[in-house]
Amino acid sequence: SAGVAAPPGATADGGRVVGPDGVAGAAEGADADAVTVKVYSDFLCPFCQLFEQTNGPVLADLRSAGDVV
C-alpha cells in the first residue's frame, strides 16, 4: 500500500474514529480515557455480520456514552 493516501479524516492505519455524536472522523466529546476499539470487518463475511448483530448495539451504547471511540 506504499504510495496510497488514506482518506481525509482517517487514522494513520486507515481507520475512522467515531465520537459520541456518531460523526466519523471526530472524537470530540469522548472521555479523556476513552478506549479505542478497532473493528476489522468485511461486509460480505457472514461471521462479520454476526459480530455486528451481536456486538453493534453494545458498542453503539459505549460510543454514545463517550467510553469508546
Side-chain angles (χ1 to χ4, degrees):
S1 63
V4 177
T11 62
D13 58 358
R16 299 292 272 178
V17 174
V18 181
D21 57 1
V23 176
E28 287 82 21
D31 294 342
D33 61 347
V35 175
T36 300
V37 176
K38 292 184 180 185
V39 176
Y40 298 89
S41 184
D42 178 347
F43 294 110
L44 299 178
C45 170
F47 298 104
C48 295
Q49 179 183 21
L50 181 60
F51 174 86
E52 180 61 32
Q53 290 171 342
T54 304
N55 300 295
V58 173
L59 290 172
D61 289 345
L62 291 170
R63 180 196 43 80
S64 294
D67 296 331
V68 301
V69 289

